[in-house]
Amino acid sequence: MTGTSPQPHSILDPSAPSAPTSAPVPAYDAETLAAVLAVLPDVDAVELKLTVPGADHRRVLDRLGIDALDATIRQVAFLDTPALDLSAAGLVVRARRTQRKAGDITAKVRPMLPADVPGRARRADGFKVEVDASPAGFTCSCSSTRRLPDDDVRALLDDVGRLPGLLDRTQLSLLEPRLPVGVGFDDLRVLGPVTLLKARFAPAGLPRPMTAELWFLPDGDRILELSAKAAPAAAFQAAAETKVFLASQGVDLGAPQETKTRAALAAYATRVGTTRVGTVR
């Protein structure tokens, strides 16, 4: 394959029978199948994702037996310019806080194929190559996550000048060569944080756990995402089983899809403050 990621294709639609949905789910074609098969052997994990239409949130949560009181509270913030220059360049910088746990900061490049990852980065702690797949398509991304004390992440959200000192060598190696022309770390702003509820659950009849995340955006919108992780070798089987299960629970597999990161960036881009990030030391 070439050095750029293939265009998004469907992965959540193996040819297993399922309950009917209110809209057709995209089907594999030869190009899609070839792209998926070419990527899977060299990735670390596959995450199957589905966003649920807002009008269906309560019904789906009740049907799946998810109780908000069992969820973990998280805060997620992104660092980008007001014009979202990093996002346009395929870069994501994310800071995350988790209730009563350590925080973390992630640098991600998407799309990025495994063949394009420097060997040193691939061997680094916290680095992974992952396929995110939904009915709308799939994307291969590479990311490096560094765990941090919660106090450090909280301080970053109040003083974004701390960012360069919190990124490790691997994260800087992903970001610096790909920064858009004319954009530096001192141009970034904190977009967020988004407050969210995250709950893991074990559906009866499904041989793997699932996760539900409910994001509360500043404009009042909410995003409910259901997801399941699978080893690359089991991706197609996991996709088939997950599709059958969700359809049996009345989840609309053909609904329009919206990624959490894109929605949060768009919602906060017009609400950023004027604090600037310090230059890299």
Side-chain angles (χ1 to χ4, degrees), residues 99-112:
Q99 183 183 24
R100 293 190 291 273
K101 291 184 179 180
D104 59 54
I105 188 167
T106 296
K108 178 180 289 189
V109 181
R110 64 181 182 193
M112 188 177 191

Side-chain angles (χ1 to χ4, degrees), residues 151-164:
D151 287 346
D152 286 352
V153 180
R154 185 174 182 178
L156 172 64
L157 302 186
D158 292 330
D159 177 11
V160 291
R162 297 173 179 264
L163 174 65

Side-chain angles (χ1 to χ4, degrees), residues 40-176:
L40 284 181
D42 297 316
V43 304
D44 301 313
V46 174
E47 186 166 12
L48 310 172
K49 298 182 176 182
L50 180 84
T51 55
V52 178
D56 293 344
H57 286 183
R58 174 56 57 191
R59 178 181 61 81
V60 169
L61 290 172
D62 289 344
R63 187 70 181 267
L64 295 177
I66 300 171
D67 189 338
L69 295 183
D70 295 329
T72 299
I73 301 174
R74 273 187 166 178
Q75 285 188 331
V76 175
F78 301 93
L79 285 88
D80 206 329
T81 67
L84 304 182
D85 292 296
L86 264 61
S87 179
L91 302 177
V92 176
V93 180
R94 181 191 69 203
R96 187 165 57 187
R97 301 180 65 209
T98 301
Q99 183 183 24
R100 293 190 291 273
K101 291 184 179 180
D104 59 54
I105 188 167
T106 296
K108 178 180 289 189
V109 181
R110 64 181 182 193
M112 188 177 191
L113 293 175
D116 298 327
V117 180
R120 179 180 298 178
R122 189 69 188 263
R123 295 188 295 269
D125 290 340
F127 187 89
K128 67 178 179 180
V129 182
E130 187 173 53
V131 167
D132 289 336
S134 80
F138 79 90
T139 301
C140 186
S141 64
C142 302
S143 66
S144 176
T145 297
R146 182 187 182 192
R147 287 189 173 274
L148 295 169
D150 179 69
D151 287 346
D152 286 352
V153 180
R154 185 174 182 178
L156 172 64
L157 302 186
D158 292 330
D159 177 11
V160 291
R162 297 173 179 264
L163 174 65
L166 296 178
L167 297 171
D168 64 22
R169 180 181 302 177
T170 301
Q171 292 171 324
L172 289 171
S173 72
L174 288 177
L175 296 172
E176 289 182 320

Side-chain angles (χ1 to χ4, degrees), residues 6-13 24-28 32 47-51 132-139 252-259 262:
Q7 293 298 311
H9 295 284
S10 170
I11 195 172
L12 259 184
D13 189 45
V25 180
Y28 278 108
T32 299
E47 186 166 12
L48 310 172
K49 298 182 176 182
L50 180 84
T51 55
D132 289 336
S134 80
F138 79 90
T139 301
D252 185 358
L253 303 182
Q257 297 296 294
E258 184 175 23
T259 67
R262 184 179 296 113

